[in-house]
Amino acid sequence: MLRITASGQDDPFRNDAWRYAEAFEAWLVSRPPALEAAARPVASYEKRVAVTSELMGVLSGEGWARYGWPAEVGGLGGDILHRAVMWEALARHGLPAMALFEHLEILAPTLVAMGDRDFVAQVLPRFLRGEERWSQGFSEPEAGSDLASARTRAIAVDGAHVITGRKIWTSWASYATWCLVLARTGTAESRHRGLTAFAVDLRAPGVEVRPIEQANGTDELAEVTFDQVAVGPDRIVGELNGGWRVAMHILAHERATFGWFRHSFLHRQVLDTIAHGSPVGDTLLGDALLDLAAVRATSHEALRAHAAGTTLGPRAAFVKLLLAASEQSVNDWVLASDPDLAVGLQDDHVAVCRQEYLFSRIVTVYGGSQQMQLDTIAKQILRLP
Amino acid sequence: MTPVTEQADHEFLDAARRALRAPAAASAADTAGAADPLDALGWWDLLPELADRDARAAALALFRAQGRELSTSAALGALMAQPFLAATGLSPGSLVAAIGRRSARRGEVLVVVGDVTEAALLIDRPGRGAAVLGRSEVELQPVAIAGQLAVHEVRADLSTWSPTVEEKQAEPARARGRFLGRLALALEMLGAAEGALALAVAHAAAREQFGRPIGSFQAVRHLLAWAQTDCVALESVVATAVRLDAATPPGHDEVVKALAGRNGRRICERALQVLGAIGFTREHSHHHFHSRVLALDSLLGTSTELTHALGARIRETHTDPAVRAAVLLPNPEP
């Protein structure tokens, strides 16, 4: 692989995602060992995070994972289309999932857009190399769909903030080193106007992460408690009391552009299951492929909008609904093709199929429930009374 | 969603809708009738230019407008006949393709859509080439269905088959014609489904029960939001296919057409539920939109057939039918 310096004026890929795609494809065809290690089903989340972190180390070292991120924060320039190309190609060449690095596409764009420049320049390269990992602390025991009622408090003390409270359903927190926490800096009644986003080091004193065992046998989710955890001013992401804007920026990615990244791995899941397919499931498979075509087209629009410096706004809800529908229809077919996941001996491949199938039954909950997405469309797009 | 359906496409769509509405208004005032809206739009001039992205998008936008306005023309057959013009020496509009479909009762039948009194018919028989038949050589029998759609079954004596275009030449023309025809049908189904949904959304805002508009009830709102989601998905997929044309993967026209039939039917069904009984009357327009979706879903492969065949093909070939990421990039190299 050609090693490109960040200052390289004649970088052939920075402004040309097409050439980047061709070169990355050629690299993948050479079957680099880090990809081989990650491109197999791994039931244990601990091992999965480990092999994917190793792969990120190689992808960053070779330069590939640094495209799509600004040079000021350790990237090699280019835009989200570079990242879209990279993850789609990785999926096509056998990587089964992004694991925790899905937060690179959910959280990191907001860190880059709204975080303290020096702080982001320190932490983003470590995230891209897989040395550090991020999670997102939004939901609380009493604040789910109604995020504006969050009660975790951040109190200003001597130029810093001290955070106390409890977050729940925090994806990948057990495997993360950082958490972007939405905390109340305004009055108890300030709702969405009194929230601030803080980058909190999960290794700091006063942080406790308790994994939640899930119904699908994994511990992707966790409960995170903060007991007087001090954070400096450079850890504020966005403005003080501007946390709602930060949250909406993140959700705009989680609901729209993330569809591209996630659905690429649903295509991978189809290809990994196809050997078990039987004619009985052909219509289910066809239906799933129609749903995937819809996610591909609509999430690609989201990518293009993002690359052009805009977002889909409320139309992100369409992509979120379509992604969840496709995840369920793909897994309807997987269950029909491979009932071992329901009742058979669980080797790693079967166990992963079971994890994915069961998880697909609840994808209509995270990132804003299906009902919230439908409400958004009814109100903001159809303008119903 | 506007980013993919470019501004120019929207402008042509609006222009096409206005043109399609004009003859109805004109003929009400003037019994001498009005000019053909396709002539007024310059639609026939677009046909030889389909390799050009903008011309293709404009030509195909007509079909979405036809669905939305419940108007009918011979454009579908003319579009499908376009790839045969060079081999037949005919000009755009003078040749209209008949479309084969399989009747469970009568086996293979041929249908034409729209007014074909001025045109010769292209009878295409896969494996045996294609023939041009004059209007005097065929008999047309009207099919009475709702949808304000002029459909005729074609009766022709094919026992003495003499192809005008030999199979070798007909094969690529057929594939191209079907590709274009499926995209056109998908857009017309989109337009018709949008028409049905617009009626339902307006009804939900106006109709009151329990002292408030029914559109304020979450159950009704969610039905309509799902229908809108199905519209957006279809619009995005078909607009992408129109833009990419030959850069789409093999069989992608079948994906587009299957999605249109599935989503189109689902949208009409949800709209009907919101409209309630009034939507199931002859006087209400819903059944025209719905029947048009059903009729068009039955041409060039039903969504059920195409969806099943897609699953079977992918299972057997172990391939991925997705549009390649690289071709979705702006200005990809060939």
Side-chain angles (χ1 to χ4, degrees), chain B residues 148-169:
Chain B
Q148 297 177 7
L149 193 63
V151 178
H152 290 84
E153 279 197 7
V154 181
R155 297 282 148 76
D157 178 12
L158 302 178
S159 57
T160 55
W161 178 252
S162 163
T164 319
V165 184
E166 295 296 338
E167 177 61 16
K168 197 174 163 208
Q169 267 184 299

Side-chain angles (χ1 to χ4, degrees), chain B residues 247-323:
Chain B
T248 54
H252 195 65
D253 54 334
E254 298 181 14
V255 171
V256 174
K257 175 70 171 45
L259 186 74
R262 184 191 79 172
N263 285 18
R265 284 187 288 127
R266 231 160 43 184
I267 294 159
C268 289
E269 287 161 15
R270 284 177 169 139
L272 180 58
Q273 177 65 24
V274 170
L275 289 165
I278 191 70
F280 197 60
T281 58
R282 194 182 168 87
E283 71 173 293
H284 198 279
S285 296
H286 179 276
H287 75 292
H288 287 300
F289 290 116
H290 193 181
S291 291
R292 181 169 292 222
V293 168
L294 295 177
L296 301 184
D297 184 30
S298 302
L299 300 178
L300 301 181
T302 68
S303 51
T304 306
E305 286 165 356
L306 294 175
T307 303
H308 184 83
L310 172 66
R313 174 164 66 86
I314 298 313
R315 176 178 51 74
E316 286 161 5
T317 58
H318 291 207
T319 53
D320 188 340
V323 172

Side-chain angles (χ1 to χ4, degrees), chain A residues 105-110 114 136-139 144-148 180 182 243-259 302 306 311-320 323 365-369 372-373 376:
Chain A
E105 292 305 332
I106 293 173
L107 277 182
T110 304
M114 299 183 177
Q136 160 194 327
F138 282 8
S139 294
S145 291
D146 182 11
L147 187 57
L180 190 71
L182 206 57
W244 190 254
R245 220 181 124 235
V246 176
M248 291 306 107
H249 196 268
I250 287 172
L251 288 173
H253 282 96
E254 181 164 2
R255 290 172 186 167
T257 55
F258 184 62
H306 182 87
T311 71
L312 294 188
R315 289 174 298 138
F318 293 124
V319 189
K320 182 82 175 84
L323 176 65
V365 169
Y366 77 79
S369 72
M372 298 293 288
Q373 308 308 319
T376 297

Side-chain angles (χ1 to χ4, degrees), chain B residues 20-222:
Chain B
L20 294 174
R21 277 196 296 261
S27 57
D30 168 17
T31 46
D36 182 343
L38 274 60
D39 291 337
L41 275 170
W43 191 79
W44 302 105
D45 300 334
L46 295 169
L47 280 189
E49 310 294 333
L50 293 173
D52 175 74
R53 186 232 168 265
D54 291 337
R56 185 168 64 246
L60 288 166
L62 169 75
F63 294 93
R64 187 171 174 186
Q66 285 192 158
R68 199 72 174 75
E69 299 298 328
L70 289 173
S71 66
T72 190
S73 75
L76 175 69
L79 181 75
M80 291 181 65
Q82 176 67 25
F84 291 88
L85 292 185
T88 56
L90 293 165
S91 59
S94 61
L95 182 66
V96 170
I99 298 170
R101 59 170 286 269
R102 193 164 171 77
S103 157
R105 285 169 192 77
R106 290 170 295 121
E108 289 298 323
V109 293
L110 291 166
V111 299
V112 287
V113 179
D115 177 1
V116 292
T117 44
E118 305 287 317
L121 294 189
L122 180 77
I123 312 292
D124 178 26
R125 303 176 84 188
R128 282 182 282 186
V132 175
L133 299 188
R135 279 287 286 105
S136 60
E137 298 173 85
V138 300
E139 188 189 325
L140 296 182
Q141 183 178 3
V143 178
I145 49 165
Q148 297 177 7
L149 193 63
V151 178
H152 290 84
E153 279 197 7
V154 181
R155 297 282 148 76
D157 178 12
L158 302 178
S159 57
T160 55
W161 178 252
S162 163
T164 319
V165 184
E166 295 296 338
E167 177 61 16
K168 197 174 163 208
Q169 267 184 299
E171 197 180 356
R174 175 183 306 130
R176 180 65 179 157
R178 282 192 182 182
F179 179 91
L180 293 168
R182 285 184 173 131
L183 265 49
L185 285 167
L187 280 162
E188 191 159 331
M189 283 189 270
L190 171 63
E194 286 173 327
L197 179 56
L199 291 174
V201 169
H203 181 76
R207 167 76 170 165
E208 292 195 2
Q209 289 286 274
F210 308 101
R212 48 198 262 220
I214 60 169
S216 68
F217 293 105
Q218 201 171 43
V220 171
R221 296 164 77 85
H222 287 191

